Amino acid sequence: MNEWLRSDQENLRYFAGLKDIWDSSNILSDCAVEQESAMKRFYDGAQKPPKHTIYRNLRPIQWFQRIAAVLIIFFCTYTISLFLHREGETSETKLTVSTGNKMIIPKGQKGQLILSDGTKIWLNSESTLEHPSSFETEREVTLSGEAYFEVKSDEEHPFYVHTGNLKIKVTGTSFNIKAYADEDIETTLVEGRLSILKNDTEIIVLKPNESAVYSETDNHLLVKDLTVKEVKPKVVENVSDAITPMELLTVWKEDKLIFQDESLESMVNKMERWFNHKIHISDPGLLDNRYNGKFVYNETIYQVLDVVCRAGNLKYQEINREFYISK
């Protein structure tokens, strides 16, 4: 099935149409007439059947039944994964791996959980959060990767996030931390009050709409004010609303992929985590090319690369599930 989807982009679009019918016609019910009617509308409206299909000679309803079987397996696996990873506490995850009190989010996925004190956490792809089953005195977690926190207010029991050489201290607030290995640690305060400590010594207190970028390499801390002019995207034609610096740093948890005056090198790093595909750049001179763009409709990697390459007069090809960008 995966090989068939990858063989031609028309096949991918065709499959997306079938999935839309799945979502709208409630395939788990016994409404066979409704299913066949919906399938016929889609089949009649398609410009042409997909290429290289192994189901070319099947009638429309047979097509749908084959695809439905694949989708049923997927959704059942997904539901079982959610149940097994709850660990006896209120939490929501998306295809995560949980070991004891450690939540691991692989590339291409995101996860959510609610800690025993009511704190809500969104985890970005390729992130790990270590947390206790319950808090006693101090509330402490350890993060590698990126996470957005909505910390339950408790003045008597501060909430600490350990990441790299830093410790983030709050009592009740919303903030984002980006702390991937070999990258600077960026802490962004949405509301409330936040202190950054190193060796248990406070080095800065952030105000709302401020972001602190710490370089472990040269032990340097830079504070940025995010209340600046908005920048409209230049790449994506069907999105006209502006991008604010705060939106750029926090909307990943809403499944929005945004680039703002970002180098192709940085974009590739972000897309590799987002889609879990390796992307190669043939010419090192292309890495410094900068782009703006906003993808808010769960676009596929093919759609994103189509737009980026069209804007930069580039091209890409897929070989063994890896992508190669060139002039």
Side-chain angles (χ1 to χ4, degrees):
M1 182 67 183
N2 288 336
E3 182 178 352
W4 173 75
L5 288 174
R6 292 196 303 269
S7 66
D8 191 281
Q9 292 194 26
E10 189 66 26
N11 295 356
L12 187 63
R13 296 188 185 97
Y14 212 76
F15 180 81
L18 292 171
K19 184 179 181 301
D20 287 340
I21 296 174
W22 162 280
D23 293 333
S24 61
S25 66
N26 193 11
I27 185 61
L28 295 180
S29 69
D30 293 325
C31 302
V33 175
E34 179 184 351
Q35 295 164 11
E36 184 158 7
S37 176
M39 184 62 211
K40 186 176 187 304
R41 289 196 302 271
F42 170 73
Y43 193 81
D44 292 343
Q47 293 182 353
K48 59 180 180 178
K51 303 174 183 177
H52 310 302
T53 169
I54 59 176
Y55 303 137
R56 183 174 295 168
N57 297 321
L58 295 179
R59 293 186 299 112
I61 190 62
Q62 291 176 305
W63 255 87
F64 191 56
Q65 289 170 344
R66 295 290 183 90
I67 299 299
V70 175
L71 291 175
I72 288 172
I73 294 172
F74 170 78
F75 285 115
C76 288
T77 304
Y78 173 71
T79 303
I80 294 171
S81 298
L82 292 183
F83 177 79
L84 292 177
H85 296 151
R86 288 185 181 273
E87 298 185 307
E89 61 185 29
T90 306
S91 65
E92 294 180 33
T93 63
K94 293 182 180 180
L95 301 179
T96 62
V97 178
S98 185
T99 305
N101 295 325
K102 178 186 291 187
M103 175 173 277
I104 303 171
I105 310 297
K107 283 185 177 181
Q109 302 296 335
K110 297 179 183 65
Q112 302 175 31
L113 75 159
I114 301 177
L115 300 181
S116 60
D117 66 337
T119 292
K120 298 179 182 179
I121 303 175
W122 288 257
L123 288 165
N124 206 346
S125 62
E126 200 176 13
S127 299
T128 300
L129 183 79
E130 297 182 54
H131 61 92
S133 299
S134 61
F135 297 114
E136 296 179 359
T137 54
E138 292 184 341
R139 302 178 290 171
E140 300 191 41
V141 299
T142 300
L143 170 70
S144 173
E146 185 169 18
Y148 183 91
F149 294 80
E150 288 184 0
V151 177
K152 192 73 172 180
S153 180
D154 186 343
E155 295 287 341
E156 295 183 0
H157 302 93
F159 189 97
Y160 294 94
V161 181
H162 297 265
T163 182
N165 293 329
L166 300 182
K167 184 161 63 172
I168 312 302
K169 177 184 177 182
V170 301
T171 53
T173 185
S174 299
F175 60 100
N176 191 86
I177 300 179
K178 184 179 179 182
Y180 287 103
D182 301 323
E183 293 184 15
D184 293 343
I185 300 174
E186 184 166 10
T187 306
T188 304
L189 181 60
V190 178
E191 61 181 24
R193 184 179 185 276
L194 181 150
S195 299
I196 300 178
L197 297 82
K198 184 179 180 183
N199 299 326
D200 292 323
T201 300
E202 184 176 89
I203 58 176
I204 191 72
V205 176
L206 292 185
K207 297 182 295 185
N209 294 309
E210 284 187 338
S211 179
V213 181
Y214 174 72
S215 171
E216 292 186 325
T217 304
D218 55 15
N219 193 31
H220 178 71
L221 183 71
L222 173 67
V223 177
K224 299 186 295 184
D225 183 359
L226 301 181
T227 57
V228 297
K229 288 184 178 180
E230 298 176 345
V231 179
K232 291 188 176 182
K234 301 176 183 177
V235 173
V236 185
E237 298 175 355
N238 63 340
V239 180
S240 59
D241 52 324
I243 302 171
T244 66
M246 180 61 73
E247 181 184 28
L248 178 67
L249 293 171
T250 60
V251 297
W252 59 264
K253 66 188 182 68
E254 301 170 13
D255 288 328
K256 297 179 181 179
L257 179 62
I258 298 177
F259 306 115
Q260 179 176 288
D261 191 28
E262 196 160 347
S263 69
L264 184 59
E265 182 177 20
S266 175
M267 292 167 61
V268 164
N269 290 336
K270 188 179 292 185
M271 286 190 289
E272 285 184 337
R273 290 194 182 108
W274 194 273
F275 296 110
N276 191 23
H277 281 281
K278 185 66 178 176
I279 303 175
H280 305 270
I281 307 296
S282 62
D283 183 354
L286 300 174
L287 295 176
D288 292 329
N289 291 356
R290 309 190 75 84
Y291 300 88
N292 294 299
K294 187 173 184 179
F295 301 89
V296 300
Y297 302 113
N298 289 316
E299 287 88 345
T300 66
I301 188 171
Y302 303 99
Q303 293 169 317
V304 174
L305 288 176
D306 280 342
V307 172
V308 172
C309 288
R310 192 164 60 245
N313 196 24
L314 306 172
K315 63 181 180 180
Y316 76 90
Q317 60 178 333
E318 181 184 8
I319 302 175
N320 295 328
R321 301 199 66 189
E322 295 187 0
F323 293 86
Y324 295 80
I325 298 177
S326 59
K327 291 182 179 179

